[in-house]
Amino acid sequence: MTNRTTQVSVHFSRPFLLPDFEAPLPAGEYRVDYDEESIESASRLAWRRVGGFIHLPAIGMPGSLHQMIPIEPAYLAAALEKDQRLP
């Protein structure tokens, strides 16, 4: 089985809260790393997300401490969807 990490940027228009976080995170652009493992079949190669990390603080935000915090990809996807639905 092969593993890989992909990095994406996600944008929140307003503060958001993820489970296991004590306080809302500010609106902004965030780097997210997804750990994926291969799913091999006879016809093609596919990837399944098995974990994720969000980089704090947001891109361009001041802060002397930079962290990678584990997140559940489904929770991040739900927070992004909620952010896009709100006016």
Side-chain angles (χ1 to χ4, degrees):
M1 188 174 310
T2 304
N3 295 321
R4 72 178 184 183
T5 299
T6 58
Q7 189 174 82
V8 299
S9 293
V10 297
H11 177 79
F12 285 92
S13 300
R14 57 194 53 82
F16 65 101
L17 183 63
L18 294 172
D20 299 328
F21 281 66
E22 294 178 8
L25 297 170
E29 191 89 12
Y30 290 84
R31 284 193 314 260
V32 176
D33 291 343
Y34 288 115
D35 291 335
E36 301 170 318
E37 63 184 17
S38 62
I39 304 170
E40 297 182 35
S41 71
S43 62
R44 64 184 177 113
L45 177 65
W47 297 91
R48 175 179 55 212
R49 288 185 178 158
V50 293
F53 295 87
I54 190 166
H55 294 251
L56 301 177
I59 297 170
M61 297 291 281
S64 59
L65 179 63
H66 293 272
Q67 303 176 64
M68 283 178 53
I69 307 295
I71 56 165
E72 176 62 43
Y75 295 151
L76 180 62
L80 283 165
E81 184 178 317
K82 181 179 177 182
D83 183 71
Q84 293 171 356
R85 278 195 325 255
L86 295 174

